[in-house]
Amino acid sequence: MQLCEDMMAYPIDRRSLMAGAALGSITLLSTEAEAQPHAAAATPEIYELRTYHLVNGPMKERLDAYLKDAFLPAARRAGCGPVGAFTVAIGAGAPSVVVLVPYPSIADYAALSGKLSADPSYARAAAPFLESKPEGPPYVSLDVKLMRAFPHFPRLELPGVAGSAKSRIFELRTYYSPSEKAGTTKIGMFDTGGEVDIFRRTGLTPVFFAKDLTGPRLPSLTYLLTFPDLATRERSWSRFGADPDWRRLSETPGLTNSEIITGIDNQILSPTPYSQI
């Protein structure tokens, strides 16, 4: 994969999208020169999504100690974050801990390792983790995915009660597409086509939207939602599915799931007590 190429934006003009929807078609734009001017609020963030796979037993306690006392504070000192840390409550991968690290840029992502190495407070707090022995590992394996925030959702949005309510949940969803064109179309539906507005109106509160830059089934996109509890989640998704604007958008030829989505992964996450999100 050529990361530089993947870091290029694939803008879709809102007016072209909605006009295409009205006509039963969609205009895809692949360069800035083709797009109508859209001033995104800021340079899109880069997200690192770490999934630490565990086995039941003392592993989680060891990993929690590292994340709480060493990694999250050091990442904030290095200019990253806020950093989210979650356990998988429902969905594939349990037991595991999912860590979301926002970076201002890809350069900041590349620089974090060096900053941690030069941080004496991190070295002291992380010593038990970094010096783990085979008979007492803090995790089984680690998956890492890099993502770039959508141009018009360039910054992570913190929920109103970040981790304060025990019932609060997060929903992590990844959509896979059959081609770059199809993936770009789905990103456009969210980023400039009105789908995020429908989310907000129906109670689906977004935390981030991003294009996946790495991963096993590219092209794909990932987003994170938050809810006060599972019951609110169920009601919100029901309202979304019945929303007339969503029905019109999703039934437009060229925008249907069967044309642009090949699969969806879904996990319900619970924030750890030390999560910053």
Side-chain angles (χ1 to χ4, degrees):
M1 183 197 71
Q2 296 182 356
L3 188 57
C4 291
E5 292 182 1
D6 286 333
M7 292 295 293
M8 294 174 63
Y10 295 88
I12 296 181
D13 177 67
R14 182 183 178 89
R15 285 172 292 180
S16 295
L17 179 68
M18 301 314 293
L23 296 172
S25 62
I26 181 171
T27 301
L28 291 173
L29 304 178
S30 60
T31 68
E32 291 290 348
E34 292 174 283
Q36 296 291 329
H38 280 294
T43 301
E45 292 178 315
I46 296 296
Y47 301 125
E48 179 189 15
L49 192 69
R50 301 184 179 188
T51 301
Y52 292 90
H53 298 282
L54 313 175
V55 296
N56 290 324
M59 273 189 183
K60 186 174 183 301
E61 182 178 353
R62 298 177 189 131
L63 180 61
D64 282 342
Y66 165 71
L67 294 172
K68 175 180 178 291
D69 299 329
F71 181 75
L72 267 69
R76 290 296 273 167
R77 289 194 297 271
C80 308
V83 181
F86 315 89
T87 57
V88 177
I90 302 173
S96 60
V97 173
V98 177
V99 178
L100 175 68
V101 188
Y103 298 90
S105 69
I106 195 68
D108 293 290
Y109 162 75
L112 179 62
S113 178
K115 290 181 179 180
L116 294 181
S117 297
D119 184 336
S121 296
Y122 171 79
R124 286 191 298 270
F129 177 88
L130 299 176
E131 298 169 9
S132 298
K133 300 295 188 289
E135 60 270 19
Y139 61 92
V140 175
S141 63
L142 171 62
D143 295 335
V144 176
K145 179 166 72 173
L146 290 181
M147 305 170 284
R148 183 193 62 238
F150 287 0
H152 295 86
F153 202 113
R155 290 287 184 267
L156 179 146
E157 294 185 2
L158 289 174
V161 286
S164 62
K166 291 183 178 179
S167 61
R168 176 161 291 277
I169 61 168
F170 292 77
E171 184 166 7
L172 184 69
R173 294 171 68 88
T174 298
Y175 291 7
Y176 303 98
S177 294
S179 66
E180 284 290 342
K181 180 178 180 180
T184 298
T185 299
K186 186 58 191 174
I187 289 174
M189 287 176 68
F190 280 117
D191 196 38
T192 57
E195 191 169 348
V196 172
D197 295 334
I198 301 171
F199 268 33
R200 295 186 190 279
R201 189 174 70 246
T202 57
L204 302 175
T205 303
V207 178
F208 77 82
F209 287 90
K211 177 180 179 177
D212 296 341
L213 303 180
T214 65
R217 291 174 57 187
L218 298 177
S220 58
L221 67 87
T222 297
Y223 63 86
L224 186 68
L225 307 174
T226 186
F227 306 92
D229 49 52
L230 279 169
T232 302
R233 173 190 176 272
E234 295 300 320
R235 291 193 298 269
S236 298
W237 275 117
S238 293
R239 285 196 297 269
F240 174 78
D243 185 87
D245 290 339
W246 166 243
R247 298 288 291 269
R248 282 192 292 270
L249 184 63
S250 63
E251 293 171 3
T252 299
L255 305 184
T256 66
N257 277 358
S258 62
E259 294 172 278
I260 60 176
I261 299 295
T262 56
I264 299 174
D265 284 346
N266 191 38
Q267 292 176 312
I268 302 299
L269 309 178
S270 296
T272 66
Y274 54 86
S275 178
Q276 299 169 351
I277 295 175

